Amino acid sequence: MSTVVAQSLHVFGLRSHVANNIFFFDEQIIIFPSGNHCVKYNVDQKWQKFIPGSDKSQGMLALSISPNRRYLAISEIVQEKPVITIYELSSIPCRKRKILNNFDFPVQRFISMAFSPDSKYLLAQTSPPESNLVYWLWEKQKVMAIIRTDSQNNAVYQVPPNITSIVQVLKLVSFNPQDNTQVCVTGNGMFKLLRFAEGTLKQTNFQRGEPQNYLAHTWVSEDKIIVGTDTGKLFLFESGDQRWETSIMVKEPTSETRNLEVIRESESLIEFPTISSPVPSYEQVMKASNNSQLAMPQVFAIAAYSKGFACAAGPGRVLLFEKMEEKDIYRESREIRIPTDPQSNERSQSDKQDVLCMCFSPSEETLVVSTSKNQLYSITMSLTEISKGEPAHFEYLMYPLHSAAITGLATCIRKPFIATCSLDRSVRIWNYESNTLELFKEYQEEAYTISLHPSGHFVVVGFADKLRLMNLLIDDIRSFKEYSVRGCRECSFSNGGHLFAAVSGNVIHIFATTSLENISNLKGHTGKVRSVVWNADDSKLISCGTDGAVYEWNLSSGKRETECVLKSCSYNCVTVSPDAKIIFAVGSDQTLKEIADSSILREISAFDVVYTAIVISHSGRMMFVGTSVGTIRAMKYPLPLQKEFNEYQAHAGPITKMLLTFDDQFLLTVAEDGCLFTWKVFDKDGRGIKREREVGFAEEVLITKTDMEEKAQIMLELKTRVEELKMENEYQLRLKDMNYSEKIKELTDKFLQEMESLKTKNQVLKTEKEKQDVFHRERIDDLLDKQSQELQDLECCNNQKLLLEYEKYQELQLKSQRMQEEYEKQLRDNDETKSQALEELTEFYEAKLQEKTTLLEEAQEDVRQQLREFEETKKQIEEDEDREIQDIKTKYEKKLRDEKESNLRLKGETGIMRKKFSSLQKEVEERTNDIESLKREQVKLQGVIKSLEKDILGLKREIQERDETIQDKEKRIYDLKKKNQELEKFKFVLDYKIKELKKQIEPREDEIKVMKEQIQEMEAELERFHKQNTQLELNITELWQKLRATDQEMRRERQKERDLEALVRRFKTDLHNCIAYIQEPRLLKEKVRALFEKYVQRADMVEIAGLNTDLQQEYARQREHLERNLATLRKKVVKESELRRTDYVRIMQENVSLIKEINELRRELKFTRSQVYDLEAALKLTKKIRPQDVPETVPSEAMPSIAPTMRLNEQEETGRIIEMQRLEIQRLREQIQEQEQIPGFHPLSVVRLPSLLESEVDFEVQTK
């Protein structure tokens, strides 16, 4: 065996057409089929573990998990034979527990399975034409019962013969969740409840009503089943009888649902499962079903949970039904939708995929569904309860997966990326390190091939119409170069990335990545090129095709260096050894060829399979090949002569592409089943075969400048918004704090008042309680006295009664003694009489007995004699009766046979007559209904005919009147046509003159427009300057206010200082006067006391002044700071005013020049209009008449008064514009004068605007 080992790591894909294709193993782990494996996927930790299919398996058909989550049953086809494999999920890794492959009954495949509630029994449904239901004790591989579910003579519900075998495949079986012996089977026109008893399965229900195509069912309780149909109906059956029915309404417009068939047909050119797989795909079933039912929501899946059940309700919808508390009916409670995909090219169709299977987690917290487009979605049930009123939306369980065959595969060096393209028109970029989907985009055309640049920043994709070179941006795949290479089925970047090759039919185009030009075309193949590969240094290109040729091209010369042609073989794939000396090719002849120097060195057999793909490692130590049955084979290089390779189950269809990553760590495979597998490569000792990486994977991504700017702008807007929200929230919080503080104050006041009132009440109640206590004590004392008196009285009475009763008792005792003595005497007398009577009776009856015994003996003798006689007569009679019975028996048996035959014949005739009678009755009823409806229609039509006849008479009268009016109108039209011809002659001459004059006027009008635009721009610039000036004025006024405030504070402080100095002077003088009395202590004391009384109150002011010295210092510092700021602002104002002055001068000069040009243009316009008017007068086409003198007969079209009115409108407009400009200039002058009055602002040099009086006078003359 080979020492190369491949271990499956991760899979990206799902096989949705496998029956029951998703289960929960526990709360975090789900099980689903992918490729030829079952995958255990942990939703939280994102790891996958694999349960591989059986060897030589042709694909899985159905899955089933036991209720205790210990066993998993997989139905497969292995070498054209059906097999059921049961795995034990609790063991690690999962091991095979039983294999059911020996059957005593005919079977093609098992299409549905179910475990019993105790997991001991397995129920399996086979496909048509057998359609057997098998009941297994699977541990012992013992068939307990088998029954055919399809009724042979079911003539009521017939399916067209071309789709019977497909539609009837959609059958479902299940066990009663509480009973091992009861099972349910649903299918096309079939709903059966069966019970296992005495070794057979017997039907317990009778199907009433019109049969339906039952697509799904589930048990909601021990005896209740919910069933869904292909027409959107839900039925509730209880013990086989229908109890409830509802129809699911379609909320989408039916025009969208009608397009579903077209969308499904165009999704894929290759329908899978492949030819080798026996199960028809979901697409085939949908195409085969009736087109009229496409508008109906088909219920493909139903799942029960504690509150009710969930069901699929047409494309992209799942409805939740909850049980009503009082009645046994269900009502719709929630709607869950599959969301539209933002990356899809048809967002309206991205959610139009049918839900095929659904499953609740054990805690019913999560619902997981699988769809017809191989996608897995999930939703937490708590979210559905939150989003009341609006439909909830599913989320991807993992990531969007391919829904059709994968045709292209590529990887790069600098990033852990895998690129794939598929017939579902999508391109996807996967990360094999993190096992995630990095990028995904759908297109209008199908993608056939893909190649990644070694840097991982670019990708080239071959579509049906074009070859596109695209950038892999951070969140998008954006095309930047397109080539007109139609139907490109193969493309590849060189190892250095500077070149890439693209195949179109039998021609290979070589393009440069830097210049994006086609540098050469390699022609030589006579058939389609199927595979190309570059050698290590990119100097050569190897290609193979369907023509059986393998060519080695020299890119410098564009010519073939070596060639090997074998026309009997159509090559599928080619690769080259790392040293570029040996070429390996695989094709349709089931061999692997080693080619060197234009000759085949060796041919290694594939052992009855076709190799579809081949890849060799960069180290040259190992080789992998993919087969047409979906397996991969790992071989050691150099290749062995014997069958020495490891074969692994991988895909459920032919492998289309295989690749090894640059470091030889991972193997990547894709196939027609739409799945992508990643494999870890080891040698047999467990060592990874890897090449040392000098540099880690690159983390850089591409992003466009516009996207960066947009994101920066969005970030700025969000920051500002956040700041605004912070301010608003702080303001709102302050308001709430204020409101709450006020409320708290009010509440505290209320509580204090209530507490005081309660205290007063409490005191009142205490006083009342004390009064009541005193009253009760007095009352209790009285009652106690009364009770003691009553007790004494009762004791006296009871003593007297007791004495009387004792005397009565003694009397009665004496009486009873006397009575006893009398009864004893009577008993003795009765005993004596009884003994005498007994003796007499015994004597009498003994005599009678003797008489009877004698009589009995005589009778016995008579009986014996009679018995002998009876037996003799009995023997004679029996012999006679036997003869008669034999004769009668033969006679009546003949009669019974005749009667039975006639009865059977009559039963058949009566059945036929009943059917005929019922059909005739139906026909009679239909005919009577038709006759009644036709009579009603006849009455209606007669009424309509009468009304229409009246309308016809009225219309005839109208036609006559209209004919008369038409004749009058035609006469008038004839007269008007003559006048019109004359007027057209005049019009032709005038049009010619007007055109010549317009040619002269148009250039002038264009110049005027240009001038107006310049004026508008200048006005905008003036407005901008005006805004800046107003802002500066505001700043200056603020600074002036601050300056005035500081001046006032300075004046106040100086006044304080003066007051304090005066106070100190007065105190000094008084103190000096006191010193005069220094020799007289008494007077000195009085004077000092007087000083104290005089100045002690003013000492506070002195202290405050002493304290305010620090404040004065701070004030001085602030003042200096403000003065410095004011000086800098003045300098800025001076600079800006100088800039404004130059701008003002420039704008005014431009205005002056423009006004002069406008005046000149006006004069020229006036001169040209006067010339036009004179020419018209000279040609005698216009008459200088007043408006009131215009004759009525002249038509309005011929009047030449339009031009002067238009000229007046233009003159008014220009006058208005000049007036606005004059006002604007006046306003600007006033602003300049105001700014000149501001101190620190240097006035502009005296620039006088040119006077507009001359132009205004000219304009007024023109308008007058």
Side-chain angles (χ1 to χ4, degrees):
M1 294 296 290
S2 173
T3 59
V4 179
V5 178
Q7 180 185 350
S8 52
L9 275 185
H10 204 88
V11 64
F12 305 92
L14 168 73
R15 292 187 67 203
S16 60
H17 65 276
V18 176
N20 295 334
N21 54 36
I22 190 159
F23 301 105
F24 270 94
F25 176 63
D26 57 25
E27 198 63 36
Q28 287 83 28
I29 297 172
I30 61 167
I31 298 173
F32 60 89
S34 183
N36 207 14
H37 291 72
C38 272
V39 183
K40 289 173 72 175
Y41 175 69
N42 190 304
V43 178
D44 294 337
Q45 299 175 8
K46 310 296 181 188
W47 53 255
Q48 288 184 354
K49 291 181 180 178
F50 295 87
I51 305 170
S54 302
D55 291 340
K56 299 182 181 178
S57 171
Q58 294 170 309
M60 297 178 185
L61 307 178
L63 302 178
S64 181
I65 194 166
S66 62
N68 59 10
R69 303 289 194 274
R70 284 189 63 189
Y71 306 110
L72 175 69
I74 302 174
S75 168
E76 298 174 285
I77 297 290
V78 179
Q79 293 181 339
E80 306 298 331
K81 291 181 182 178
V83 172
I84 296 176
T85 310
I86 298 169
Y87 290 87
E88 191 169 348
L89 296 174
S90 56
S91 63
I92 299 172
C94 299
R95 64 182 181 88
K96 292 181 181 179
R97 182 69 178 265
K98 285 290 176 187
I99 299 173
L100 307 177
N101 55 5
N102 294 320
F103 311 113
D104 299 331
F105 49 88
V107 58
Q108 290 185 3
R109 55 189 179 272
F110 294 98
I111 56 173
S112 182
M113 298 181 296
F115 277 97
S116 62
D118 59 1
S119 305
K120 291 181 180 178
Y121 298 94
L122 181 68
L123 195 68
Q125 174 70 48
T126 68
S127 62
E130 298 85 13
S131 296
N132 289 324
L133 182 67
V134 189
Y135 189 88
W136 257 304
L137 181 63
W138 63 268
E139 282 278 7
K140 298 180 180 178
Q141 299 188 10
K142 182 181 178 182
V143 176
M144 305 296 291
I146 185 168
I147 188 173
R148 187 179 175 90
T149 53
D150 281 351
S151 55
Q152 294 293 323
N153 54 358
N154 187 7
V156 179
Y157 187 83
Q158 290 185 350
V159 183
N162 59 338
I163 66 167
T164 303
S165 62
I166 295 171
V167 176
Q168 286 185 349
V169 168
L170 298 174
K171 290 182 183 175
L172 190 65
V173 297
S174 66
F175 271 96
N176 185 328
Q178 306 294 329
D179 188 358
N180 283 349
T181 61
Q182 192 176 17
V183 299
C184 176
V185 186
T186 56
N188 195 352
M190 178 178 62
F191 171 71
K192 291 184 179 181
L193 285 174
L194 306 167
R195 187 172 289 280
F196 176 71
E198 299 174 358
T200 58
L201 285 165
K202 295 178 182 178
Q203 187 171 351
T204 60
N205 70 320
F206 180 71
Q207 197 166 340
R208 299 182 182 88
E210 192 173 314
Q212 304 277 340
N213 184 4
Y214 300 109
L215 298 177
H217 74 262
T218 189
W219 295 79
V220 290
S221 68
E222 188 175 352
D223 56 351
K224 293 179 185 176
I225 306 173
I226 294 286
V227 186
T229 70
D230 62 343
T231 57
K233 289 184 179 179
L234 292 172
F235 299 98
L236 174 64
F237 291 97
E238 184 176 1
S239 301
D241 298 325
Q242 184 179 329
R243 300 294 184 196
W244 175 71
E245 177 185 351
T246 187
S247 294
I248 297 167
M249 302 303 293
V250 182
K251 295 185 180 178
E252 293 85 10
T254 55
S255 61
E256 291 183 7
T257 55
R258 287 195 195 105
N259 295 328
L260 277 172
E261 187 182 55
V262 179
I263 292 157
R264 289 193 183 106
E265 285 176 357
S266 62
E267 275 180 359
S268 173
L269 293 175
I270 300 172
E271 294 177 353
F272 62 93
T274 56
I275 298 163
S276 62
S277 180
V279 178
S281 67
Y282 166 81
E283 288 80 1
Q284 291 171 334
V285 173
M286 292 306 296
K287 287 177 187 175
S289 60
N290 195 354
N291 292 335
S292 65
Q293 294 180 354
L294 282 173
M296 298 290 183
Q298 298 184 330
V299 183
F300 282 107
I302 305 176
Y305 69 114
S306 58
K307 293 182 181 178
F309 65 92
C311 71
R317 288 176 70 209
V318 170
L319 296 179
L320 297 180
F321 285 83
E322 291 183 0
K323 188 177 180 181
M324 303 288 282
E325 292 179 359
E326 298 173 357
K327 302 175 182 178
D328 286 338
I329 60 171
Y330 292 84
R331 64 176 179 85
E332 182 184 334
S333 61
R334 301 280 184 279
E335 180 183 2
I336 311 172
R337 286 186 173 274
I338 294 174
T340 57
D341 199 332
Q343 297 296 330
S344 177
N345 59 343
E346 295 179 1
R347 293 190 184 182
S348 61
Q349 300 297 333
S350 62
D351 58 341
K352 304 301 181 199
Q353 45 186 326
D354 284 300
V355 175
L356 298 185
C357 187
M358 60 176 67
C359 182
F360 283 96
S361 64
S363 66
E364 297 181 354
E365 180 61 26
T366 308
L367 172 64
V368 176
V369 302
S370 64
T371 69
S372 57
K373 289 190 176 179
N374 296 355
Q375 305 298 329
L376 285 172
Y377 294 94
S378 69
I379 190 169
T380 53
M381 297 302 290
S382 56
L383 289 176
T384 61
E385 294 176 1
I386 291 166
S387 60
K388 288 186 178 179
E390 295 181 0
H393 287 89
F394 284 105
E395 294 178 350
Y396 282 110
L397 181 67
M398 297 181 285
Y399 24 68
L401 302 169
H402 281 295
S403 60
I406 299 174
T407 55
L409 174 70
T411 184
C412 61
I413 299 169
R414 293 288 293 121
K415 291 189 178 184
F417 283 175
I418 308 168
T420 58
C421 63
S422 170
L423 296 178
D424 61 4
R425 303 174 184 159
S426 69
V427 173
R428 296 166 202 258
I429 309 297
W430 313 86
N431 190 318
Y432 62 80
E433 263 198 342
S434 59
N435 295 321
T436 55
L437 180 66
E438 294 283 337
L439 289 172
F440 155 54
K441 194 166 185 181
E442 284 191 5
Y443 295 90
Q444 296 289 337
E445 301 85 20
E446 291 178 344
Y448 298 128
T449 180
I450 192 167
S451 182
L452 261 174
H453 192 270
S455 65
H457 292 309
F458 313 106
V459 66
V460 61
V461 185
F463 291 94
D465 60 341
K466 287 180 182 177
L467 178 73
R468 291 183 173 90
L469 189 61
M470 297 186 276
N471 281 325
L472 296 182
L473 303 179
I474 190 169
D475 55 358
D476 193 13
I477 305 173
R478 201 170 293 172
S479 175
F480 66 92
K481 179 66 177 177
E482 292 183 353
Y483 299 96
S484 58
V485 179
R486 289 184 174 275
C488 178
R489 298 275 176 173
E490 191 68 27
C491 67
S492 177
F493 271 103
S494 63
N495 296 314
H498 61 292
L499 300 173
F500 65 91
V503 174
S504 175
N506 57 0
V507 181
I508 304 168
H509 304 280
I510 307 296
F511 297 92
T513 310
T514 52
S515 62
L516 306 177
E517 293 177 356
N518 184 3
I519 57 174
S520 67
N521 297 321
L522 308 179
K523 298 178 182 178
H525 282 279
T526 57
K528 289 184 179 179
V529 178
R530 296 292 298 275
S531 178
V532 295
V533 64
W534 299 82
N535 68 343
D537 58 358
D538 297 333
S539 61
K540 294 176 185 177
L541 183 75
I542 296 93
S543 64
C544 70
T546 57
D547 55 356
V550 176
Y551 295 144
E552 186 177 358
W553 305 86
N554 191 325
L555 293 179
S556 58
S557 61
K559 294 180 181 179
R560 289 186 297 228
E561 281 197 351
T562 63
E563 59 184 57
C564 179
V565 180
L566 186 64
K567 291 188 177 179
S568 61
C569 175
S570 175
Y571 286 111
N572 294 324
C573 188
V574 69
T575 188
V576 66
S577 61
D579 57 2
K581 290 180 180 179
I582 301 173
I583 299 167
F584 303 94
V586 292
S588 60
D589 61 351
Q590 297 183 359
T591 59
L592 167 62
K593 297 179 178 61
E594 253 184 282
I595 301 168
D597 297 329
S598 302
S599 61
I600 298 171
L601 296 180
R602 272 201 301 172
E603 287 191 15
I604 298 155
S605 174
F607 302 100
D608 298 328
V609 294
V610 176
Y611 287 151
T612 56
I614 184 168
V615 65
I616 190 167
S617 65
H618 299 88
S619 62
R621 291 167 56 188
M622 54 187 176
M623 184 180 289
F624 298 91
V625 289
T627 67
S628 58
V629 295
T631 60
I632 63 168
R633 292 178 177 177
M635 306 176 184
K636 190 76 175 170
Y637 186 76
L639 297 173
L641 296 172
Q642 290 80 21
K643 190 178 179 180
E644 292 184 11
F645 52 79
N646 291 329
E647 189 164 9
Y648 300 98
Q649 294 293 324
H651 294 274
I655 291 175
T656 53
K657 297 285 179 185
M658 294 178 72
L659 278 179
L660 274 164
T661 56
F662 183 71
D663 55 1
D664 290 341
Q665 283 278 79
F666 301 100
L667 173 68
L668 316 171
T669 60
V670 295
E672 288 180 7
D673 60 358
C675 298
L676 163 65
F677 272 87
T678 60
W679 306 77
K680 182 76 173 174
V681 179
F682 294 98
D683 63 6
K684 204 164 188 180
D685 300 328
R687 297 192 304 274
I689 304 169
K690 70 174 185 179
R691 302 164 68 191
E692 294 295 331
R693 295 186 62 88
E694 295 179 359
V695 184
F697 287 122
E699 295 182 357
E700 297 83 8
V701 291
L702 292 180
I703 187 165
T704 60
K705 189 178 178 183
T706 54
D707 291 345
M708 282 289 289
E709 289 172 353
E710 286 174 5
K711 285 179 180 176
Q713 185 65 31
I714 291 164
M715 282 174 69
L716 285 170
E717 290 174 0
L718 289 171
K719 280 180 181 176
T720 53
R721 180 67 181 153
V722 165
E723 289 175 358
E724 289 172 3
L725 287 169
K726 277 183 182 176
M727 295 289 286
E728 287 178 9
N729 288 331
E730 287 175 0
Y731 178 66
Q732 292 293 330
L733 283 168
R734 286 196 205 98
L735 287 175
K736 285 180 181 177
D737 289 339
M738 290 168 68
N739 292 328
Y740 288 141
S741 60
E742 290 174 359
K743 285 181 182 178
I744 288 163
K745 284 179 182 177
E746 291 174 1
L747 288 168
T748 49
D749 294 338
K750 281 183 183 177
F751 285 132
L752 289 168
Q753 290 173 1
E754 287 177 1
M755 281 171 70
E756 289 174 356
S757 63
L758 287 168
K759 281 179 182 177
T760 53
K761 280 181 183 178
N762 196 10
Q763 289 175 354
V764 171
L765 289 167
K766 277 182 180 178
T767 53
E768 287 179 358
K769 185 191 172 189
E770 289 172 356
K771 289 177 183 177
Q772 290 287 333
D773 287 340
V774 172
F775 174 73
H776 283 302
R777 285 194 200 99
E778 293 173 353
R779 187 121 180 236
I780 285 163
D781 293 337
D782 295 337
L783 288 168
L784 287 169
D785 295 337
K786 283 180 182 178
Q787 189 184 9
S788 61
Q789 288 177 0
E790 286 174 357
L791 274 169
Q792 288 175 0
D793 296 337
L794 284 168
E795 281 178 358
C796 295
C797 292
N798 287 328
N799 288 327
Q800 291 174 1
K801 284 179 181 178
L802 279 167
L803 289 168
L804 291 169
E805 291 293 330
Y806 184 69
E807 289 173 356
K808 285 179 181 178
Y809 172 70
Q810 284 179 347
E811 290 174 359
L812 288 168
Q813 199 170 8
L814 292 169
K815 279 183 182 179
S816 64
Q817 284 176 358
R818 290 187 204 116
M819 290 285 287
Q820 195 171 359
E821 289 173 355
E822 288 175 359
Y823 281 124
E824 284 175 355
K825 285 178 183 177
Q826 286 179 3
L827 280 169
R828 288 189 205 101
D829 296 336
N830 285 328
D831 287 334
E832 291 173 356
T833 54
K834 182 182 174 185
S835 60
Q836 290 175 2
L838 273 169
E839 286 174 357
E840 290 174 359
L841 284 168
T842 51
E843 289 173 358
F844 175 73
Y845 280 110
E846 281 174 359
K848 270 191 175 184
L849 261 171
Q850 286 175 358
E851 290 176 3
K852 292 288 180 184
T853 51
T854 55
L855 288 169
L856 208 148
E857 287 173 356
E858 291 173 0
Q860 282 178 352
E861 288 177 1
D862 293 335
V863 165
R864 288 189 198 101
Q865 193 173 357
Q866 285 177 4
L867 279 169
R868 291 188 204 101
E869 291 174 0
F870 174 72
E871 284 175 356
E872 288 176 1
T873 54
K874 185 181 172 187
K875 283 177 185 176
Q876 292 173 2
I877 289 163
E878 280 178 353
E879 288 173 358
D880 295 336
E881 289 298 326
D882 287 337
R883 290 191 204 96
E884 287 178 4
I885 286 163
Q886 199 70 28
D887 298 335
I888 291 162
K889 189 177 179 183
T890 53
K891 187 170 122 182
Y892 279 108
E893 277 179 354
K894 286 178 183 176
K895 279 186 180 180
L896 202 141
R897 283 193 210 100
D898 298 335
E899 290 294 330
K900 278 184 179 177
E901 288 173 0
S902 62
N903 195 11
L904 287 168
R905 189 171 65 255
L906 287 169
K907 275 185 181 177
E909 288 175 0
T910 52
I912 292 162
M913 294 301 288
R914 277 178 188 166
K915 286 179 182 176
K916 285 182 180 178
F917 181 69
S918 61
S919 62
L920 286 168
Q921 272 187 339
K922 286 178 183 175
E923 286 179 2
V924 168
E925 288 174 359
E926 288 174 359
R927 295 291 176 272
T928 53
N929 291 329
D930 293 340
I931 288 160
E932 287 176 0
S933 61
L934 288 168
K935 281 180 181 177
R936 289 193 214 98
E937 287 178 1
Q938 188 179 1
V939 171
K940 288 179 184 176
L941 290 167
Q942 283 176 354
V944 171
I945 287 161
K946 287 177 184 177
S947 61
L948 288 169
E949 285 175 352
K950 289 177 184 177
D951 294 339
I952 287 161
L953 290 170
L955 289 166
K956 282 181 179 177
R957 290 192 207 99
E958 284 184 8
I959 287 163
Q960 288 176 358
E961 291 172 1
R962 294 280 172 87
D963 287 338
E964 291 172 359
T965 53
I966 285 162
Q967 287 175 0
D968 296 332
K969 294 279 183 183
E970 283 177 351
K971 287 178 184 176
R972 195 172 176 188
I973 287 162
Y974 180 74
D975 297 331
L976 289 168
K977 278 182 179 177
K978 284 183 179 177
K979 286 182 182 178
N980 198 11
Q981 286 175 357
E982 293 174 358
L983 291 169
E984 279 179 355
K985 290 175 184 176
F986 288 111
K987 185 184 173 186
F988 179 77
V989 177
L990 286 168
D991 285 340
Y992 180 75
K993 291 292 180 184
I994 287 163
K995 283 176 184 176
E996 287 183 349
L997 291 168
K998 277 183 178 178
K999 286 176 184 177
Q1000 296 175 1
I1001 292 165
E1002 279 175 0
R1004 297 295 182 183
E1005 286 178 347
D1006 291 334
E1007 289 176 0
I1008 289 164
K1009 283 180 184 175
V1010 172
M1011 295 298 178
K1012 282 181 181 177
E1013 288 173 359
Q1014 287 180 356
I1015 289 163
Q1016 286 175 357
E1017 288 174 1
M1018 289 178 178
E1019 284 175 353
E1021 201 170 355
L1022 274 170
E1023 284 178 2
R1024 193 170 69 251
F1025 289 142
H1026 175 62
K1027 287 176 184 176
Q1028 289 176 355
N1029 284 331
T1030 51
Q1031 187 63 37
L1032 289 168
E1033 285 171 7
L1034 288 169
N1035 292 335
I1036 289 162
T1037 50
E1038 285 177 2
L1039 290 169
W1040 270 107
Q1041 287 172 0
K1042 287 177 183 177
L1043 201 87
R1044 289 192 196 100
T1046 51
D1047 286 333
Q1048 287 174 2
E1049 286 181 5
M1050 261 177 65
R1051 290 191 197 99
R1052 283 197 296 272
E1053 293 297 326
R1054 283 174 181 168
Q1055 186 64 37
K1056 283 180 185 177
E1057 193 178 355
R1058 288 192 207 98
D1059 294 337
L1060 287 169
E1061 284 175 357
L1063 186 69
V1064 168
R1065 281 194 216 99
R1066 283 199 300 275
F1067 181 77
K1068 281 180 180 178
T1069 52
D1070 291 340
L1071 187 65
H1072 184 70
N1073 293 331
C1074 283
I1075 289 165
Y1077 301 101
I1078 198 165
Q1079 298 297 328
E1080 298 176 5
R1082 189 175 56 79
L1083 289 172
L1084 182 64
K1085 185 179 179 182
E1086 287 175 358
K1087 292 290 182 181
V1088 169
R1089 188 181 287 117
L1091 273 173
F1092 178 78
E1093 288 173 357
K1094 186 178 179 181
Y1095 293 104
V1096 73
Q1097 292 176 355
R1098 296 185 184 181
D1100 296 333
M1101 295 295 292
V1102 175
E1103 286 175 6
I1104 290 162
L1107 288 169
N1108 284 339
T1109 53
D1110 296 329
L1111 292 172
Q1112 285 176 358
Q1113 289 174 0
E1114 182 64 24
Y1115 168 75
R1117 191 173 61 78
Q1118 292 285 343
R1119 181 180 169 187
E1120 286 176 3
H1121 177 67
L1122 288 170
E1123 283 173 352
R1124 270 190 245 106
N1125 287 340
L1126 189 64
T1128 54
L1129 286 169
R1130 278 177 179 168
K1131 288 176 184 177
K1132 285 181 182 177
V1133 167
V1134 169
K1135 286 179 183 177
E1136 286 179 359
S1137 61
E1138 287 175 358
L1139 291 169
R1140 298 288 177 281
R1141 185 182 63 215
T1142 54
D1143 290 331
Y1144 285 152
V1145 171
R1146 180 176 57 77
I1147 290 161
M1148 286 172 186
Q1149 287 173 355
E1150 287 175 357
N1151 272 335
V1152 169
S1153 61
L1154 287 169
I1155 289 163
K1156 286 179 182 177
E1157 286 179 7
I1158 289 163
N1159 289 330
E1160 288 173 2
L1161 289 167
R1162 283 200 190 109
R1163 290 191 195 97
E1164 288 177 4
L1165 189 64
K1166 181 183 175 185
F1167 179 70
T1168 51
R1169 281 178 180 160
S1170 62
Q1171 280 183 345
V1172 170
Y1173 191 80
D1174 293 338
L1175 285 167
E1176 286 175 353
L1179 290 167
K1180 296 181 180 180
L1181 294 173
T1182 58
K1183 294 180 180 179
K1184 296 181 180 179
I1185 54 173
R1186 295 176 184 177
Q1188 61 267 22
D1189 297 333
V1190 178
E1192 292 178 1
T1193 57
V1194 179
S1196 61
E1197 289 87 351
M1199 291 178 69
S1201 61
I1202 296 165
T1205 56
M1206 287 174 68
R1207 188 169 69 242
L1208 282 170
N1209 289 333
E1210 289 176 359
Q1211 287 173 358
E1212 287 174 3
E1213 188 180 357
T1214 51
R1216 210 176 288 117
I1217 289 164
I1218 290 164
E1219 185 66 24
M1220 286 168 66
Q1221 286 180 352
R1222 190 199 304 155
L1223 291 169
E1224 184 66 21
I1225 290 162
Q1226 189 175 355
R1227 186 177 63 77
L1228 290 168
R1229 281 177 176 164
E1230 288 173 359
Q1231 285 182 4
I1232 290 162
Q1233 287 174 3
E1234 287 174 2
Q1235 287 183 356
E1236 284 175 358
Q1237 293 173 4
I1238 294 167
F1241 182 84
H1242 298 287
L1244 295 166
S1245 59
V1246 180
V1247 178
R1248 292 182 61 82
L1249 288 170
S1251 178
L1252 294 172
L1253 291 171
E1254 293 177 3
S1255 60
E1256 288 169 6
V1257 169
D1258 293 339
F1259 176 73
E1260 286 173 2
V1261 169
Q1262 286 174 6
T1263 52
K1264 288 176 184 178

